[in-house]
Amino acid sequence: MIWIPEFKAFISRRLSLLVLATSFLCSDNSISCSAETAPLVEAKRGMVVSVNPEASDAGLQVLQAGGNAVDAAVTVALSLAVTFPEAGNIGGGGFMMVWPGSASGTAASSDPVCIEYRETCPAAISRDSFINEHRQEGHHTVGVPGTIRGLALAHQKFGTRPWAELVAPAIHLAKEGFPIDAALASGLNKLLTQANEFPEFRRVYGKPDGTTWKKGDRLTQPDLAGTLSILAADGPDAFYKGAIAQKIVDEMKANGGAIASEDLAGYRAHIRSPVHTTYRGYDIYAPPPPSAGGTQLIECLNILEQYDLAKLGSKSSRAAHLIAEAMRRAGCDRVRYQGDPAFTQIPPALVTKEHAKQVSQDLRLDQATRSEDLAKDIKLSDEPPSTTHFSIADGNGMAVSNTYTLQNSYGSRVVVRGAGFLLNNEMTDFNWQLGVTTRAGRVGTEPNVMAPGKRMLSSQCPTLVARDGKLLLVTGSPGGRTIPSTVLCVIVNLLDFGMSLRDAVDAPRWHHQWFPDRLQFEHLGDPEFAQQIIELREMKHDFGNDVKKLGDGYRRQGDAHSILIRDGLLKGAADWRRTQGKAAGLP
Ligand code: DON
């Protein structure tokens, strides 16, 4: 058993000192650290960067106790299911990229792999089941969860510590509780005022005395502790064939949901080969379909490699224009071609340099392409219309880049009765109405329509960047359709614009997804970027009237918890856009 509270307090004190000491290191390049950002943490023997301090610390303790990056990933993922219920989960799915590493530094002993644990469509659902459906939450929106099978597969292939030991910290957090932060307090309060139709959600996440949650209150989850204890004792099969499976099926039967015991028993996670390209001499590895995110990222990089972004500079309108045009083209190809590869033939050429050249032929340097002009084959109409990432590196060269999700924040809002965990609403990631693709962004193309046993298309894009066989960057982000754009921005900021990791994560981000034909910029309205935006408007980029300020800042795109590895030093940058995440390093 590795969970020792006294030891945790000791490590926390050590880490606070380390954080203080390293906070001076983050001003090494062009964009200075604002009060809103997190410190850059440096360490040699291990790094865990996630959205939640308790989860980062739990992962760090696994590394401290001799576990590797995959062992720590199992603990972080299960801990986030307790401490970050918005997206951390056991009732959802995701993608884990693993850099296997070797005993001698960061040179890979074997190729990186993608553990794919995306949810699937239950057998009872067919392509037209949702044609007249509009509700985005509830039992009908739940896909067969993949997280536990995914974590178990990663553990079986790479893990070194006993499964039960890795589940233990999450049990402790659920049983003893943890102090909630302001973001969780306000998220729960908001949901609790709306969740009348989800009584189990209210019972599990409501404050016991009936008042509203405040920062610092303690959230305990005894039912979830029970579920995790079963998982620790009986192993992952408990979720798919045993006591937990039975609770999920009972929950579905009682409320008109579609998941049956055969769906759970038949669920498989897969080990897949990542999609790959080279970008200015660096190797980029990202998840293959059923995530579209990796292919979109690689298509963007292949397009951008044809231009000298470094010479243009990060604040030039021409560089932003090229980034937007690359995103637009990759977004269009996603809609046209991508879906579950078991059900749809995706052209392998999408990730090639030749394809990038071909789709760039009509890219003008001085003017935005109209999204409509890219896909005359897709019929368009005018009908109106949460995830989390963590990065881990151990001291022996192994690393994990993991993104997983419940889809919306708090998923379907369905908490499995008596089991204390939320189920996803990932069925909303399928194209519900074949043939209805709108200028507002709704997609109705064939490759991602529902079918029994099919995986819904994802945008998740946990990414690994290497140079000469050595791992350089571990990154990824939540944010739905903006995910590959966020990852692209981090990579381009680092590799083209020469930013430090801290600045690459903090710099304002761009997003374009084909339709809506609109360029999003995090700092729209910020006088610092006014000239760039004027010039982009002159090139006919449409920003809409979307000058949204959130709180004291601007709109937030993603949450890219990242690690940079250079000369044996691990630099961890938590992204503070969503909540005060934490980079925890083992000196
Ligand atoms: O897998 C996907 O593409 C989405 N369901 C991810 C959802 C998401 O990132 C929401 N949170 N930010």
Side-chain angles (χ1 to χ4, degrees):
M1 179 84 167
I2 56 168
W3 187 258
I4 306 165
E6 289 75 7
F7 176 67
K8 183 189 171 215
F10 170 69
I11 284 283
S12 292
R13 280 195 300 276
R14 293 287 303 266
L15 288 173
S16 309
L17 286 174
L18 183 69
V19 164
L20 264 179
T22 53
S23 60
F24 297 106
L25 298 171
C26 64
S27 57
D28 50 334
N29 248 339
S30 52
I31 299 178
S32 59
C33 295
S34 72
E36 283 230 14
T37 194
L40 186 80
V41 174
E42 293 190 350
K44 286 207 157 147
R45 292 189 299 133
M47 181 71 68
V48 181
V49 195
S50 87
V51 70
N52 175 263
E54 278 80 12
S56 293
D57 288 346
L60 197 75
Q61 287 191 45
V62 173
L63 297 181
Q64 169 85 18
N68 65 20
V70 168
D71 291 322
V74 171
T75 294
V76 173
L78 295 175
S79 299
L80 286 171
V82 179
T83 58
F84 193 66
E86 172 182 336
N89 68 80
I90 59 174
F95 298 81
M96 179 189 290
M97 296 287 295
V98 180
W99 181 267
S102 70
S104 58
T106 50
S109 57
S110 56
D111 291 336
V113 296
C114 176
I115 311 277
E116 182 262 296
Y117 54 100
R118 183 69 163 160
E119 299 92 325
T120 59
C121 178
I125 303 281
S126 65
R127 80 156 46 196
D128 293 334
S129 295
F130 285 39
I131 209 141
N132 293 317
E133 178 61 71
H134 297 287
R135 292 167 305 147
Q136 302 279 310
E137 285 133 16
H139 293 77
H140 65 293
T141 63
V142 183
V144 183
T147 296
I148 294 299
R149 279 274 181 252
L151 297 180
L153 181 58
H155 180 253
Q156 182 198 335
K157 185 159 170 63
F158 296 106
T160 58
R161 308 293 298 187
W163 169 261
E165 182 179 293
L166 301 175
V167 184
I171 298 174
H172 179 90
L173 284 164
K175 197 188 275 176
E176 303 303 322
F178 63 97
I180 66 172
D181 62 17
L184 180 52
S186 81
L188 288 179
N189 289 337
K190 189 167 157 220
L191 260 280
L192 287 164
T193 59
Q194 301 166 354
N196 281 336
E197 51 184 312
F198 301 110
E200 188 69 353
F201 185 100
R202 299 183 70 81
R203 187 181 72 77
V204 167
Y205 292 112
K207 198 165 156 183
D209 66 4
T211 61
T212 53
W213 290 104
K214 289 185 198 56
K215 180 183 172 195
D217 286 344
R218 216 168 173 79
L219 175 63
T220 53
Q221 298 168 76
D223 290 354
L224 181 53
T227 295
L228 291 166
S229 300
I230 294 172
L231 269 179
D234 298 351
D237 271 356
F239 193 95
Y240 292 92
K241 296 174 177 168
I244 305 167
Q246 192 53 54
K247 283 193 172 149
I248 297 173
V249 172
D250 291 347
E251 176 70 39
M252 289 288 140
K253 273 193 185 142
N255 297 281
I259 297 177
S261 48
E262 294 76 17
D263 292 310
L264 289 164
Y267 181 86
R268 300 280 177 275
H270 298 296
I271 297 184
R272 297 188 188 266
S273 294
V275 283
H276 167 258
T277 194
T278 55
Y279 182 66
R280 307 198 199 282
Y282 293 86
D283 286 289
I284 315 289
Y285 301 94
S291 182
T295 302
Q296 282 178 267
L297 172 70
I298 281 178
E299 186 172 343
C300 286
L301 289 169
N302 286 340
I303 293 171
L304 291 173
E305 199 181 37
Q306 304 170 100
Y307 307 94
D308 192 347
L309 295 185
K311 196 165 163 202
L312 292 169
S314 70
K315 288 192 178 159
S316 77
S317 54
R318 184 61 57 81
H321 165 70
L322 292 169
I323 289 168
E325 291 303 314
M327 290 171 176
R328 183 198 306 276
R329 282 159 177 76
C332 177
D333 276 343
R334 168 203 173 114
V335 166
R336 186 189 273 128
Y337 296 120
Q338 294 213 58
D340 182 342
F343 288 75
T344 189
Q345 193 66 34
I346 303 170
L350 284 186
V351 292
T352 63
K353 308 273 184 200
E354 292 68 33
H355 181 73
K357 268 195 201 117
Q358 204 185 329
V359 296
S360 310
Q361 276 169 7
D362 59 353
L363 195 165
R364 285 180 53 172
L365 293 180
D366 60 345
Q367 192 173 309
T369 310
R370 280 165 21 111
S371 285
E372 198 151 343
D373 294 342
L374 287 183
K376 302 239 161 67
D377 53 323
I378 300 173
K379 186 174 148 271
L380 290 169
S381 54
D382 272 321
E383 191 208 336
S386 219
T387 305
T388 190
H389 174 83
F390 60 81
S391 296
I392 301 179
D394 64 26
N396 293 318
M398 181 181 275
V400 164
S401 182
N402 186 86
T403 312
Y404 71 155
T405 188
L406 289 168
Q407 166 65 336
N408 286 1
S409 292
Y410 305 95
S412 62
R413 315 283 155 85
V414 173
V415 176
V416 177
R417 202 174 162 79
F421 67 92
L422 279 157
L423 291 168
N424 67 82
N425 65 332
E426 219 72 58
M427 292 295 286
T428 60
D429 263 353
F430 277 118
N431 300 348
W432 284 16
Q433 292 182 323
L434 184 60
V436 183
T437 299
T438 70
R439 290 178 178 82
R442 184 170 182 170
V443 178
T445 48
E446 173 79 32
N448 188 37
V449 292
M450 286 174 201
K454 186 173 179 178
R455 257 107 145 138
M456 59 293 287
L457 192 61
S458 170
S459 300
Q460 290 171 69
C461 193
T463 298
L464 301 169
V465 178
R467 175 111 199 185
D468 301 328
K470 293 201 169 179
L471 185 62
L472 176 81
L473 176 70
V474 186
T475 192
S477 177
R481 297 281 290 275
T482 67
I483 291 173
S485 303
T486 295
V487 176
L488 179 70
C489 289
V490 172
I491 291 176
V492 165
N493 287 344
L494 265 177
L495 303 188
D496 288 292
F497 300 139
M499 291 184 198
S500 67
L501 179 65
R502 183 69 273 157
D503 293 346
V505 168
D506 289 349
R509 293 170 182 157
W510 302 91
H511 172 65
H512 201 298
Q513 63 181 43
W514 181 56
F515 275 107
D517 188 350
R518 185 160 301 158
L519 182 53
Q520 286 179 30
F521 180 54
E522 266 188 319
H523 278 223
L524 196 62
D526 182 344
E528 190 181 341
F529 301 93
Q531 186 56 30
Q532 197 178 14
I533 301 300
I534 289 171
E535 288 171 17
L536 284 161
R537 286 193 203 273
E538 282 168 5
M539 290 183 204
K540 298 199 171 10
H541 285 283
D542 181 5
F543 288 89
N545 298 316
D546 206 15
V547 190
K548 238 184 247 158
K549 283 204 177 193
L550 298 181
D552 56 352
Y554 295 90
R555 60 179 306 145
R556 307 270 199 266
Q557 180 179 314
D559 202 33
H561 303 290
S562 307
I563 300 173
L564 186 77
I565 304 160
R566 255 194 199 128
D567 305 324
L569 196 61
L570 310 171
K571 297 185 181 195
D575 190 333
W576 272 14
R577 281 170 171 81
R578 293 221 163 173
T579 174
Q580 298 192 349
K582 178 171 179 178
L586 205 56

